Amino acid sequence: MSLFGSSPVMQMATMSAPLVPGVQSVGGLFDDLSLSVGAEVEVPDIFLASKEPANTLQQLKGPAPIIRTPQDDNIQPVQGDDTTAPNAVIPSRLNHIVCVSSANVGFSETAKDKNMPPSGLSYEAVVEEVLGSGAYGLTLKMTLEYENPFPKEGMVVWLKKHQQVICDDLKSELMLVETVFQDYVRGQWETITTDIRYAEEAEAVVQAVITTDSSQTAGRVKQEGCVEDAKLGPVGEKGRIVLTYRCSQLYSYAEMKLGTNSSGQRTLVPVAFQLPWSSLDNPANDCSVHVDVSAPAGTQLLCPQTNILAYRDFQRSLHTLGSQAVILPSPAQGSSSDAPSWSFDRSALPPKPTMVLAWLSIPEVDDGWEQLDDDFAAMKVAQTQATILKPSGLDASLLSTKLPGQQDAHLVRCMVTTEAPPRPPNSVRVHTDITISDASGSTGMRRGNVTDTVRAGFNKYEEQRLLRRLEAIPKLVEAGVLTNSDVWNQIWVIFDHGVKQEFGLRTEVKDLDTQTVRQLLQVLRSSDGVAEGALNQAGKSSLLQNWKQALKKLQSIHPGGATSFVAGTDRAKQLYLQDVTKRSSGQDNIRRTTYVNFDTDGGNNCGPCYKAIAALTKEADVVQGHVTGIGAWVDQDCATKVAKLLKGSTSLSLQFPSLEEADAVFRQDLSRWGKTLRSCPIEVKVSAGSLAWTARHGSRNENGVDVLMAKGDGVTFGQPDVSEQTYTKSVMKGVQAGETISLYMLSRWPLEQLAATLRVEVEGVQARIATRTDPMRGVTLGHHWISNLGGPGEGVAVNKSVLCTRLRQRLEDDMSFAWNLPTKSGSTAAVGRAKTEQRPPVPAEKQPVEPEVISLAPKVEPIVGFGGGTFFGGRCGGPPRVRCAAAAAPTLGVNAFGAAGGGGCGFGGGNGGGGGGGGLFGSASAGPPPALPQAAMGLMHPMMAAPPPSNSNFSMAPAAASNSLGLSVSKESASLCRSKKKKLPQSSRTPINPWGHDEDDDDDAVNCKVTPATPSELLRASGFMRIGAEEEPVAAAKRSLQALQYLAQQATLLPTQPPRGHVFNEDPLVADLLGTKPANNQAGVVHMGFVCDATNQNPITGVRYKATNQKDMDITHAARVEGKFPMGGSGWKAIADPAIALRQNLAGVLCWWQVMWPHRGDLFGQPFPDLRTLSLHDLVTAVQKLPVP
């Protein structure tokens, strides 16, 4: 096919197309043969969130849109073609926020704990355009909340979190720029702001607050390698760590227009927020999640209905990694077209890997072209403009600094939009238009109801574009952009899998006067015989024939063959070097410029393609270019990358523009083309005179302005200009006229006087100076400066003659302290403390041990599905658990709609005997919950088959390997399940430890990467942010449902004997010395069926504590306080009584039932009650009605 995919023509379907190594064919747009236009498309695991009614999730479904592809004309794709739906994206190109962290906690008296899961996670993101770059940046506030299980004690939280890049395909770092801590005091949040200190001082201050009775709370954060390290304490009920990040560049790609009436070009920016997940029975599930996204004015979410196939193909690509739910957020309250925002909230974690996806469609406000009058008058007065971006208010004072000698100085940015100076009288411009055009087999597709093919459409489109430029030549001469000594070249390279056709046209501008061009256009457009005769009579017959011959060749191009962008691009470069560069070399007065049009109907997204384009740009004097993509097979990522390499833009659409749109399209093309004609290499000089100050030896002069850094394509710094005695000028080279460069300046003049003193010269011509407010503000602006001072970003050149090491470090420290932002080098840390309330101090021996961040080292064994690692620390990979095989059995007599014989619906009951209603909570108004057959109880949990033996405990092996969960198991299977409490020899026991990490395994030490991790690395290593034991989502869903049913069954039983097992009888002397042991306020509660894994007390009485990193591990309150933990257990969560546990578990079910049971609206579609008002009987009944996932 072509630039973005290839396909042979129908008759060539059997030919062997050249294959590109490493490039795989993607699934077809309509590869589901049952799918026809207008048919219902259902996208599994993608849900639309809505505020009304009642925060529901609706599975994405809708009619299939009409999208023609080459396959409609029996043109089949080959390897390398992108046949996914228009606008689709793959996971590696998501801007993906992944929070992988580990938190340990310590208390004033109670034993410390490891791997404590959060009680809340919030993402608040703002997407904004980066000035003058056509790119987009992100500011993200991430809040991690931790609840204190012992609120009468002080708690210290020590958190470590992996740093990340924003995208697998774009290594743009998500950098920490600000930290705030919060402590919940007397019913409201007390904010603890941080100040920058040197790292050693920060740690000392925090330790002093934590270990003394100061009635204060303190926090500090620092960066070590690629890990963020935060500590907060002592907190009371709960505390928060609020981290603010900045990403300077997000992945984006051009949006494909799906209709002829689509207005303006738009850019797609897909931003995903990964949520932690846990099984329904895990108390870590009790964690709120919040996502809020704001975007520039006019932004919309990519329409799920119009682009339903793009969402479908995205979901299919996700399934190559394993099942994952995708939530599309709903408009936030107060959202408008001028200030659009979206949000999503849930009070519990999802039961499977889940992301919230904001697939943003952002309008391009500045398309990089200027509106030109018909006479091109704007080009006559073109002049370089330097715009000082003056920081506003507080920002200006924070960007002020002191230089040696106590000189005042100010950091300020300046945008310089360059224009070419007046042309020297004897200069010659040789301008070349290169058209690289796709004629592969897929361009043989018919254009809707039109009999023409896509290739015929390209022929006409390229002809109109050429004639529009021809029409502009006399006006450009009149405007002084071109002169009669200039030359205009045309090079066409038509390609398929090789070079299909090549031809050119060379015209001297002196031959294209106004009358000649008018007559030439009459002949070429309408075969005007009178105009043709006039041209022949004027001696222009050769000119006429050359143009007619070129258009005839263009009109004769037909489709056929496979695709190779490399072949077409390489040949264009060879022709340019041979016919243009060689002919004009050695002549100092010649300036060469090139404009490239890349026209295609598909995408050939391979590395050699980009290398070829980059080589063409570098060696063929390319100033700018444009990519036109037509059709469903255009690879939008490839088209966007090619356009960036050509320093230009893209226009992508399913079909050629309508007549109304065509005029605007060609006017934009003329603007970009005209800018290229004015381009030439230029040298930019910047100065602002001098200022004098007095030193010991007398008066001395300093530069009024120094340029520290500059950002622009190919810009470099030359030696300073010393032509003036009292000051020097900064000199920048490698700039092409028409480009915009960003200057980072150090001004010794007050900013109010800078505009009057600043001089920006382009080849000796003074630029206009203007002033405007810097659009980058607040912490974003401060981070931008600190980031570039600490290590310049991509494309930023450093003026080393000015920004030496000592000055850079001085400015970096000054900005770090002034802006309250840590340096990239890690020399400073943020620390804060505030008066909160009196709490017991946490002595050093009670403070948490240092957290272990999850290892990112690759494992030998392959990672299957979601089997690797955990969310909050632990191990990547590991052996699979032994599954408990359950035989098929008859289904249980009690179904999700209530027991047989029941009636009623909603929360009403049926008649007698525990008969249920139609809804989840439909149950009888009286009578005990329906009894379960003994065999069914054995499946719901092995302990449900019979009263628990004295040495037994609730144990759940991973889900059975069968395709569906039966409702009873054989005696052998039940016996196998009950064998959990048997202590295995150490050599035969699988090591279990917090979050899957082995304490004794030294090989699993923390892997400190020298660079931030990619999202995919973090996802694989953490089991897609899993909290809990290592298991796959399907197995976790089945096992956790069994655990809930077991909990419900046991909650109805009464204890038949006193609890047995070890009881901690404390010596009175210990109480006298250390004070009374913390009370167990739930001492009278009995947790039937649950045995303490530390003491064997059976059943557990009082508060039960469950390990959040294990499938089934429980201990008593006494064991928790004294730190008597079973091997591997951590992240202990309190369960006061069975009713609270059932309410918590059911809350998670009601939040996410659409994800687990998307087609069970009959069961869950009724309004839900307040779970706090339900009796234990109602809770048990509801759990027993839950269907198999």
Side-chain angles (χ1 to χ4, degrees):
M1 201 180 76
S2 86
L3 174 63
F4 319 103
S6 58
S7 173
V9 291
M10 294 165 52
Q11 33 301 31
M12 300 179 67
T14 59
M15 70 174 289
S16 298
L19 300 182
V20 182
V23 177
Q24 299 298 320
S25 179
V26 188
L29 182 63
F30 292 102
D31 54 1
D32 181 355
L33 298 180
S34 64
L35 181 63
S36 59
V37 173
E40 183 83 356
V41 179
E42 185 172 306
V43 185
D45 286 333
I46 292 190
F47 301 91
L48 300 167
S50 61
K51 301 294 184 185
E52 298 295 337
N55 289 323
T56 58
L57 296 176
Q58 299 176 352
Q59 187 170 347
L60 178 58
K61 60 178 64 176
I66 301 174
I67 299 178
R68 281 188 54 79
T69 75
Q71 288 173 284
D72 293 325
D73 290 328
N74 200 30
I75 302 171
Q76 300 305 315
V78 296
Q79 188 176 21
D81 285 343
D82 179 6
T83 57
T84 55
N87 295 323
V89 71
I90 58 177
S92 65
R93 294 174 186 153
L94 287 178
N95 300 292
H96 205 156
I97 312 299
V98 183
C99 176
V100 174
S101 63
S102 177
N104 293 347
V105 293
F107 306 91
S108 302
E109 299 179 9
T110 300
K112 64 186 72 173
D113 196 3
K114 297 168 65 176
N115 304 299
M116 177 63 68
S119 56
L121 174 62
S122 171
Y123 299 114
E124 297 175 54
V126 178
V127 176
E128 55 198 357
E129 186 174 7
V130 179
L131 180 66
S133 66
Y136 296 89
L138 172 77
T139 300
L140 172 72
K141 185 165 75 173
M142 181 186 299
T143 302
L144 289 155
E145 181 179 307
Y146 293 90
E147 187 173 359
N148 186 351
F150 306 99
K152 293 184 178 180
E153 301 183 32
M155 178 178 74
V156 175
V157 181
W158 190 352
L159 170 80
K160 287 198 174 185
K161 177 183 169 297
H162 267 292
Q163 293 178 340
Q164 69 162 96
V165 294
I166 196 67
C167 173
D168 282 16
D169 284 9
L170 180 68
K171 304 302 188 287
S172 182
E173 188 175 347
L174 195 66
M175 295 192 64
L176 180 65
V177 298
E178 188 175 35
T179 305
V180 169
F181 300 96
Q182 291 182 320
D183 188 5
Y184 197 69
V185 182
R186 292 180 289 275
Q188 60 185 10
W189 288 103
E190 180 74 28
T191 297
I192 306 170
T193 57
T194 57
D195 295 326
I196 287 295
R197 295 284 185 270
Y198 287 111
E200 296 80 2
E201 180 186 359
E203 183 64 33
V205 168
V206 171
Q207 281 302 314
V209 170
I210 291 174
T211 57
T212 61
D213 187 6
S214 63
S215 300
Q216 298 180 49
T217 303
R220 70 104 182 103
V221 66
K222 61 181 180 179
Q223 300 183 53
E224 295 180 330
C226 288
V227 173
E228 293 146 6
D229 183 320
K231 187 178 289 186
L232 171 65
V235 297
E237 293 183 47
K238 47 191 172 182
R240 285 175 175 171
I241 300 173
V242 184
L243 306 169
T244 300
Y245 297 89
R246 175 70 187 168
C247 179
S248 59
Q249 184 178 4
L250 299 176
Y251 171 79
S252 62
Y253 61 105
E255 182 174 350
M256 170 74 72
K257 292 183 181 181
L258 300 186
T260 57
N261 295 324
S262 302
S263 58
Q265 293 296 317
R266 301 181 73 91
T267 298
L268 295 177
V269 182
V271 186
F273 304 86
Q274 195 73 28
L275 303 181
W277 70 279
S278 70
S279 60
L280 290 173
D281 67 317
N282 192 328
N285 180 276
D286 186 20
C287 171
S288 62
V289 288
H290 169 78
V291 177
D292 185 87
V293 187
S294 301
T299 300
Q300 306 167 357
L301 290 189
L302 182 68
C303 179
Q305 283 72 38
T306 306
N307 293 275
I308 191 169
L309 298 180
Y311 282 93
R312 180 204 66 178
D313 286 356
F314 169 67
Q315 181 58 40
R316 287 180 175 179
S317 65
L318 281 180
H319 274 279
T320 61
L321 304 174
S323 176
Q324 185 166 186
V326 178
I327 309 298
L328 308 184
S330 58
Q333 186 174 5
S335 176
S336 66
S337 59
D338 292 333
S341 60
W342 297 266
S343 65
F344 178 76
D345 298 271
R346 282 297 183 271
S347 60
L349 296 184
K352 63 184 290 186
T354 300
M355 70 169 69
V356 177
L357 175 62
W359 204 335
L360 304 177
S361 171
I362 306 176
E364 294 185 12
V365 178
D366 180 9
D367 291 322
W369 64 284
E370 57 188 340
Q371 189 71 40
L372 298 176
D373 297 329
D374 290 338
D375 61 356
F376 289 76
M379 292 188 176
K380 298 178 183 179
V381 295
Q383 182 181 0
T384 296
Q385 176 164 307
T387 304
I388 300 170
L389 303 180
K390 184 180 177 182
S392 60
L394 180 61
D395 292 350
S397 63
L398 296 178
L399 288 173
S400 299
T401 187
K402 289 283 187 181
L403 297 179
Q406 296 302 303
Q407 304 171 76
D408 291 325
H410 312 273
L411 297 179
V412 63
R413 299 194 302 155
C414 181
M415 301 291 291
V416 180
T417 303
T418 63
E419 295 290 350
R423 290 182 55 175
N426 63 341
S427 66
V428 176
R429 178 177 297 278
V430 177
H431 176 76
T432 304
D433 291 333
I434 297 178
T435 300
I436 304 173
S437 191
D438 182 357
S440 59
S442 58
T443 63
M445 183 187 78
R446 290 180 298 105
R447 296 192 291 142
N449 296 326
V450 181
T451 57
D452 279 348
T453 63
V454 170
R455 182 59 247 178
F458 274 130
N459 294 348
K460 294 177 182 178
Y461 187 81
E462 291 164 7
E463 177 183 331
Q464 293 177 51
R465 186 171 61 202
L466 174 63
L467 295 183
R468 285 291 187 103
R469 294 176 184 176
L470 172 61
E471 187 175 12
I473 293 294
K475 300 173 185 178
L476 292 169
V477 174
E478 183 181 350
V481 177
L482 296 175
T483 68
N484 286 333
S485 60
D486 294 341
V487 176
W488 183 27
N489 296 316
Q490 304 290 327
I491 295 176
W492 283 274
V493 176
I494 315 301
F495 68 92
D496 48 17
H497 52 280
V499 176
K500 195 180 188 78
Q501 197 169 350
E502 61 184 54
F503 52 96
L505 181 64
R506 185 177 188 274
T507 308
E508 295 185 3
V509 172
K510 67 181 181 181
D511 292 331
L512 297 176
D513 57 86
T514 302
Q515 183 175 351
T516 299
V517 168
R518 184 176 64 252
Q519 293 169 344
L520 193 57
L521 289 170
Q522 290 172 344
V523 175
L524 298 175
R525 285 174 173 166
S526 57
S527 301
D528 189 315
V530 175
E532 183 170 0
L535 286 171
N536 290 329
Q537 191 173 11
K540 301 293 181 69
S541 58
S542 178
L543 172 70
L544 175 62
Q545 292 306 313
N546 289 340
W547 276 81
K548 290 177 68 175
Q549 186 177 9
L551 291 187
K552 183 177 180 181
K553 289 180 179 178
L554 180 61
Q555 294 162 358
S556 66
I557 298 171
H558 297 288
T563 304
S564 172
F565 293 167
V566 176
T569 304
D570 283 347
R571 184 55 182 159
K573 182 187 71 174
Q574 293 167 5
L575 290 173
Y576 183 86
L577 295 175
Q578 170 187 310
D579 296 337
V580 179
T581 304
K582 187 175 181 181
R583 179 179 292 189
S584 59
S585 61
Q587 303 178 53
D588 295 337
N589 64 330
I590 290 182
R591 295 177 176 176
R592 295 188 298 266
T593 54
T594 301
Y595 188 89
V596 176
N597 283 104
F598 212 120
D599 301 332
T600 182
D601 79 324
N604 184 242
N605 49 343
C606 60
C609 156
Y610 305 128
K611 292 179 181 178
I613 297 290
L616 173 70
T617 302
K618 181 179 180 181
E619 299 181 43
D621 303 305
V622 175
V623 176
Q624 199 175 151
H626 187 75
V627 176
T628 300
I630 303 294
W633 280 6
V634 172
D635 184 327
Q636 291 158 251
D637 173 73
C638 182
T640 304
K641 289 177 179 175
V642 169
K644 287 181 179 179
L645 290 170
L646 293 174
K647 299 180 282 189
S649 53
T650 58
S651 297
L652 308 180
S653 179
L654 284 181
Q655 49 194 299
F656 288 97
S658 64
L659 293 176
E660 294 77 12
E661 289 183 307
D663 182 68
V665 169
F666 288 129
R667 291 184 72 88
Q668 292 178 33
D669 177 78
L670 277 178
S671 170
R672 292 184 289 259
W673 181 68
K675 277 190 174 182
T676 302
L677 292 173
R678 288 177 289 171
S679 181
C680 62
I682 56 174
E683 187 175 79
V684 180
K685 297 182 180 180
V686 178
S687 62
S690 65
L691 284 85
W693 63 285
T694 302
R696 180 191 62 82
H697 65 288
S699 179
R700 57 177 290 173
N701 293 313
E702 300 290 350
N703 289 337
V705 157
D706 282 313
V707 180
L708 305 177
M709 298 169 286
K711 183 175 183 179
D713 186 37
V715 65
T716 60
F717 282 93
Q719 289 185 337
D721 183 320
V722 294
S723 58
E724 299 292 336
Q725 186 65 34
T726 58
Y727 63 91
T728 63
K729 302 177 183 179
S730 299
V731 178
M732 281 142 287
K733 298 183 176 182
V735 182
Q736 286 282 337
E739 294 180 343
T740 297
I741 58 175
S742 301
L743 307 182
Y744 297 80
M745 304 191 306
L746 178 71
S747 172
R748 292 176 178 85
W749 291 103
L751 294 181
E752 294 75 18
Q753 301 177 35
L754 181 58
T757 57
L758 183 66
R759 286 184 60 84
V760 177
E761 305 170 41
V762 174
E763 300 294 330
V765 178
Q766 172 68 22
R768 295 196 308 268
I769 306 298
T771 301
R772 60 169 290 192
T773 302
D774 195 326
M776 198 178 288
R777 302 183 183 185
V779 68
T780 301
L781 178 61
H783 169 258
H784 185 72
W785 271 101
I786 293 173
S787 178
N788 279 295
L789 287 169
E794 184 179 357
V796 177
V798 176
N799 188 358
K800 295 181 179 179
S801 65
V802 175
L803 191 62
C804 60
T805 301
R806 292 180 68 86
L807 177 60
R808 181 186 62 78
Q809 291 175 345
R810 181 177 186 138
L811 292 176
E812 186 184 21
D813 281 356
D814 279 357
M815 293 301 103
S816 176
F817 278 83
W819 285 93
N820 206 36
L821 299 173
T823 60
K824 287 181 68 175
S825 62
S827 61
T828 61
V831 62
R833 57 194 175 107
K835 199 78 172 176
T836 50
E837 60 184 356
Q838 188 173 18
R839 298 192 183 107
V842 182
E845 65 275 10
K846 288 287 189 177
Q847 291 183 28
V849 298
E850 183 173 358
E852 294 183 356
V853 293
I854 188 171
S855 172
L856 300 180
K859 304 298 291 184
V860 175
E861 64 271 22
I863 298 174
V864 179
F866 298 92
T870 64
F871 172 34
F872 287 97
R875 174 176 186 169
C876 171
R881 306 293 185 189
V882 177
R883 293 180 180 267
C884 172
T891 57
L892 185 62
V894 181
N895 60 32
F897 305 98
C905 63
F907 292 91
N911 297 321
L920 177 63
F921 294 92
S923 59
S925 58
L932 299 178
Q934 188 171 10
M937 289 191 282
L939 174 69
M940 290 185 176
H941 190 277
M943 298 304 303
M944 295 173 66
S950 60
N951 66 341
S952 67
N953 188 22
F954 169 33
S955 167
M956 227 34 254
S962 58
N963 292 330
S964 60
L965 181 63
L967 292 173
S968 65
V969 294
S970 65
K971 292 181 180 179
E972 293 78 11
S973 296
S975 175
L976 176 62
C977 292
R978 284 193 295 268
S979 67
K980 177 256 183 185
K981 294 305 291 185
K982 248 179 228 184
K983 301 296 183 185
L984 300 176
Q986 185 66 35
S987 60
S988 63
R989 204 182 308 153
T990 301
I992 310 172
N993 226 352
W995 312 97
H997 176 70
D998 297 342
E999 284 184 351
D1000 300 327
D1001 189 354
D1002 293 334
D1003 293 335
D1004 284 336
V1006 175
N1007 174 33
C1008 294
K1009 286 170 60 90
V1010 294
T1011 57
T1014 64
S1016 63
E1017 287 176 322
L1018 294 173
L1019 290 171
R1020 285 194 298 266
S1022 65
F1024 285 69
M1025 286 177 60
R1026 183 188 64 246
I1027 301 180
E1030 183 180 311
E1031 58 184 337
E1032 294 187 4
V1034 174
K1038 294 179 179 179
R1039 180 196 57 75
S1040 62
L1041 179 61
Q1042 292 175 306
L1044 295 187
Q1045 292 172 331
Y1046 173 73
L1047 173 65
Q1049 176 67 20
Q1050 295 298 311
T1052 64
L1053 302 180
L1054 296 176
T1056 56
Q1057 54 185 347
R1060 290 181 288 110
H1062 177 68
V1063 178
F1064 293 98
N1065 296 314
E1066 187 171 78
D1067 191 296
L1069 179 61
V1070 175
D1072 291 339
L1073 293 173
L1074 302 180
T1076 305
K1077 187 166 56 178
N1080 182 356
N1081 295 328
Q1082 302 292 326
V1085 175
V1086 179
H1087 298 267
M1088 294 299 299
F1090 292 92
V1091 179
C1092 177
D1093 285 282
T1095 66
N1096 287 327
Q1097 178 177 319
N1098 181 18
I1100 293 175
T1101 58
V1103 177
R1104 172 168 65 97
Y1105 289 83
K1106 181 175 175 64
T1108 56
N1109 71 323
Q1110 302 292 331
K1111 297 174 184 175
D1112 168 34
M1113 187 175 285
D1114 305 279
I1115 58 174
T1116 62
H1117 177 79
R1120 169 66 189 90
V1121 169
E1122 298 185 22
K1124 295 185 179 296
F1125 302 155
M1127 185 184 70
S1130 65
W1132 299 97
K1133 286 279 191 176
I1135 300 175
D1137 60 56
I1140 289 177
L1142 289 172
R1143 288 189 181 95
Q1144 190 179 92
N1145 298 147
L1146 281 172
V1149 169
L1150 301 186
C1151 280
W1152 297 98
W1153 69 266
Q1154 296 96 333
V1155 171
M1156 296 192 69
W1157 300 284
H1159 302 294
R1160 292 306 306 270
D1162 57 338
L1163 183 61
F1164 295 95
Q1166 305 168 28
F1168 297 135
D1170 184 346
L1171 294 178
R1172 294 171 296 182
T1173 66
L1174 297 187
S1175 66
L1176 178 63
H1177 169 271
D1178 292 331
L1179 295 170
V1180 169
T1181 302
V1183 168
Q1184 291 173 345
K1185 291 182 178 182
L1186 293 176
V1188 176

